[in-house]
Amino acid sequence: MLETGIKAPDFELQDQNGKLHKLSDYAGKKVILYFYPKDNTPGCTSQACGFSERYPQFTEKGAVVLGISKDSVASHKKFEEKYGLAFTLLADPERKVIEAYDVWKEKKNYGKVSMGVVRTTYLIDEEGIIIRANDKVKAKEDPEKMLKALGEEE
């Protein structure tokens, strides 16, 4: 996980519609950048739906929400349509950004060790500095926690 107080690495990834996004495109806004393991899995779905339900509150506070996983553009599109998601999902199948943000880690699941995305959420300020970093993310609670964090930063 990257430390708070450092400049967030810039990146360029395609969204669920194939449009390119750079972190630097969002200069002047707060960015909630969250990394999740996989589209259409229970935890990831509840986290995404939580962000989507609260999206108007995030935009009111001048923030954007960007979700990143290693799923494809097509997978993100299906995920967005199935749940009516209101924010941008970015595809990182090569794991360039996932690795730049240090969220590709060894994970243990039922005693089996494998590599995967550790659910992590960053709050990045208007100048591109990481002001919050959380790798102990509970999928269902994360959207509400980030909304509170935004309120504390105002």
Side-chain angles (χ1 to χ4, degrees):
M1 183 174 73
L2 299 179
E3 299 297 312
T4 57
I6 67 164
K7 187 140 183 75
D10 201 7
F11 57 78
E12 185 174 72
L13 292 175
Q14 284 186 315
D15 70 9
Q16 66 269 36
N17 300 309
K19 180 177 176 258
L20 282 174
H21 291 256
K22 291 184 189 153
L23 182 60
S24 52
D25 293 342
Y26 299 99
K29 287 181 183 262
K30 285 193 171 89
V31 176
I32 291 165
L33 186 66
Y34 84 95
F35 292 87
Y36 65 99
K38 191 150 182 48
D39 290 343
N40 286 304
T41 55
C44 298
T45 299
S46 80
Q47 187 178 21
C49 289
F51 276 120
S52 193
E53 285 159 22
R54 293 166 183 80
Y55 196 68
Q57 294 158 277
F58 285 113
T59 54
E60 244 170 56
K61 294 179 183 288
V64 296
V65 176
L66 303 173
I68 298 181
S69 80
K70 61 185 191 64
D71 293 306
S72 67
V73 169
S75 173
H76 280 347
K77 187 66 186 168
K78 285 184 194 140
F79 190 41
E80 174 209 30
E81 287 174 347
K82 184 172 180 180
Y83 295 100
L85 301 177
F87 61 92
T88 301
L89 297 172
L90 299 172
D92 188 15
E94 281 92 47
R95 301 194 318 257
K96 284 190 178 97
V97 180
I98 287 167
E99 290 185 19
Y101 279 80
D102 196 28
V103 297
W104 185 255
K105 303 272 188 196
E106 195 174 88
K107 296 163 75 169
K108 283 190 176 99
N109 197 10
Y110 302 112
K112 187 174 167 262
V113 177
S114 63
M115 294 297 288
V117 172
V118 173
R119 194 181 305 277
T120 306
T121 305
Y122 291 101
L123 176 54
I124 300 165
D125 74 7
E126 295 84 347
E127 283 81 49
I129 304 298
I130 297 172
I131 53 176
R132 293 273 174 111
N134 184 4
D135 66 349
K136 305 260 186 288
V137 175
K138 295 205 177 354
K140 210 166 179 56
E141 298 166 12
D142 192 41
E144 193 56 41
K145 273 192 171 157
M146 294 314 293
L147 204 52
K148 281 193 180 106
L150 273 177
E152 292 163 15
E153 297 299 332
E154 287 180 316

